[in-house]
Amino acid sequence: MANPTVLTGTPPTPDRERGSDFAELSRRITAEGLLRRRPLYYTLRFGALALALAGGVTAFLVLGDSWSQLLVAAALSVVFGQLALAAHDLAHRQVFSRRRPSEAGGLLVADVLLGMSYGWWMNKHTRHHANPNHEQKDPDVAPDLLVWSRRQASRAQGVARFVGKHQAALFLPMLTLEGLNLSFSSFRALRGPSVKRPVLEGTLLVAHFAVYFGGLFTVLSPGKALAFLAVHQGLFGIYLGSVFAPNHKGMPMIEEGMRLDFLRRQVLTSRNVRGGVFVDVFMGGLNHQIEHHLFPSMPTPALGRAQVITERYCAELGVPYCRTGLFASYGTALRHLRNVGEPLREAR
């Protein structure tokens, strides 16, 4: 099996100086007004999300100690997934142009409602945007239990070595723990430099879990509470993975020392997902991952029009532009996981 694609150089751009290709695309995007804020869209979207959350909580309280609560848990996992997408838009200042309201909204949605540190996640995600799929600089492809390149696989030890051998098969089961992993990582990050307000965020996180676990074990019997927790957090983790995994996994990796301009660094390492309104809502606009990486503050409803402009522009430059179906993107990501783990399976 061939090695995963690794970028090895930058295609020449004869008619433009290096670094100016993105400036031309930015001019076209700005001329279309695609960077303007969309207050009506976000008012309706966040309003619908608030109603959905209130409806889920109301159903939980009305049903009481019943196994029907597992249906509520499943519904709330989708609501939590949409909350995570809302926190993402707030962090990128797609909703508000100013820092203070963006940060206040992010703390409310991430810390209070989701139980995830807004400061820690924003720091991590900012580093990802700066260097997507860079083995040394992108925290989303840093080796942990999973490995993302054969080089990482060759250095894996202990549990990571075992998991790396079977990571394609284990990926979906491991996603069921992703929601809890984000919360655990958030608490751990309170002691590090990435969280600038550890006391505030720590207090908000504790308040979230006090209400969350308090509500579960007050309304439900212990067995039903644990079942609710497993269904809710498990499906929430799968939802997060199904939204974020198609975006970069299986796309070219960037090695240390390589020189790529901003446009190529973002386009060549990202993948768009085709689909209509359902995919747009399901993925919160992240199906237009290339445009999101090029213009992180662009409001979600403008990404579709930006996609058409960007794809045509990349064709003019001769820059490869990846766009595929949703299930095909999952297949590519899983094949990549299996591919990079192959040396571990072959090792005696």
Side-chain angles (χ1 to χ4, degrees):
M1 187 178 293
N3 288 330
T5 304
V6 176
L7 297 175
T8 56
T10 305
T13 311
D15 297 328
R16 295 183 177 89
E17 297 178 1
R18 181 182 297 278
S20 65
D21 289 337
F22 174 71
E24 170 61 20
L25 175 61
S26 181
R27 184 190 66 77
R28 298 184 187 186
I29 292 292
T30 302
E32 292 288 329
L34 299 179
L35 296 176
R36 291 199 302 265
R37 295 293 170 268
R38 307 294 178 92
L40 178 59
Y41 165 81
Y42 279 108
T43 299
L44 294 175
R45 176 178 165 185
F46 286 9
L49 188 52
L51 288 175
L53 180 61
V57 172
T58 301
F60 174 79
L61 296 174
V62 170
L63 284 175
D65 190 21
S66 167
W67 285 108
S68 299
Q69 292 281 18
L70 298 185
L71 296 176
V72 177
L76 283 175
S77 70
V78 177
V79 175
F80 267 48
Q82 287 291 317
L83 285 171
L85 292 170
H88 171 271
D89 287 11
L90 286 162
H92 281 295
R93 299 191 189 180
Q94 296 176 19
V95 184
F96 306 106
S97 59
R98 293 181 294 122
R99 181 183 64 82
R100 286 186 179 275
S102 298
E103 185 176 31
L107 289 170
L108 171 63
V109 176
D111 291 72
V112 177
L113 299 180
L114 288 178
M116 179 186 74
S117 167
Y118 173 77
W120 162 75
W121 182 85
M122 185 173 180
N123 176 277
K124 173 177 175 290
H125 195 62
T126 299
R127 289 185 286 129
H128 157 71
H129 265 262
N131 292 282
N133 272 18
H134 192 296
E135 286 193 50
Q136 284 75 41
K137 298 179 181 179
D138 183 357
D140 287 356
V141 293
D144 191 4
L145 288 180
L146 298 176
V147 293
W148 305 104
S149 71
R150 293 196 170 193
R151 177 182 298 140
Q152 293 176 357
S154 67
R155 300 171 181 173
Q157 300 293 328
V159 177
R161 189 173 184 85
F162 170 79
V163 172
K165 293 179 183 180
H166 314 286
Q167 59 184 13
L170 293 174
F171 185 63
L172 183 61
M174 291 177 68
L175 283 180
T176 62
L177 301 174
E178 182 58 21
L180 295 174
N181 176 56
L182 290 174
S183 296
F184 174 78
S185 298
S186 296
F187 277 106
R188 186 172 58 183
L190 294 176
R191 302 174 60 182
S194 62
V195 179
K196 300 186 183 305
R197 296 180 176 83
V199 175
L200 172 61
E201 292 212 49
T203 301
L204 295 177
L205 290 173
V206 169
H208 166 84
F209 283 104
V211 173
Y212 183 77
F213 287 118
L216 286 183
F217 287 94
T218 298
V219 174
L220 304 177
S221 63
K224 292 187 182 71
L226 292 174
F228 186 103
L229 177 67
V231 171
H232 178 227
Q233 291 295 329
L235 292 180
F236 172 47
I238 291 173
Y239 189 179
L240 289 178
S242 65
V243 168
F244 287 95
N247 302 333
H248 301 282
K249 304 304 182 270
M251 294 303 291
M253 302 285 286
I254 298 178
E255 294 182 338
E256 190 67 35
M258 292 174 52
R259 297 181 61 189
L260 290 170
D261 65 351
F262 176 77
L263 183 140
R264 288 169 177 80
R265 185 166 68 249
Q266 303 298 340
V267 173
L268 296 177
T269 60
S270 302
R271 178 193 299 113
N272 276 14
V273 176
R274 290 192 297 267
V277 175
F278 171 78
V279 174
D280 285 345
V281 174
F282 175 73
M283 298 188 69
L286 295 184
N287 47 313
H288 303 292
Q289 187 69 194
I290 293 173
E291 290 69 37
H292 170 61
H293 262 255
L294 290 169
F295 303 96
S297 64
M298 179 180 290
T300 297
L303 290 169
R305 173 58 182 158
Q307 184 275 319
V308 175
I309 296 172
T310 303
E311 185 173 18
R312 289 175 180 170
Y313 183 66
C314 286
E316 292 176 21
L317 297 178
V319 175
Y321 184 100
C322 183
R323 192 164 177 245
T324 186
L326 181 62
F327 293 105
S329 69
Y330 294 149
T332 300
L334 291 174
R335 283 192 296 273
H336 173 73
L337 288 172
R338 180 173 176 76
N339 186 15
V340 298
E342 187 173 5
L344 294 175
R345 295 189 297 275
E346 294 176 345
R348 297 294 181 182

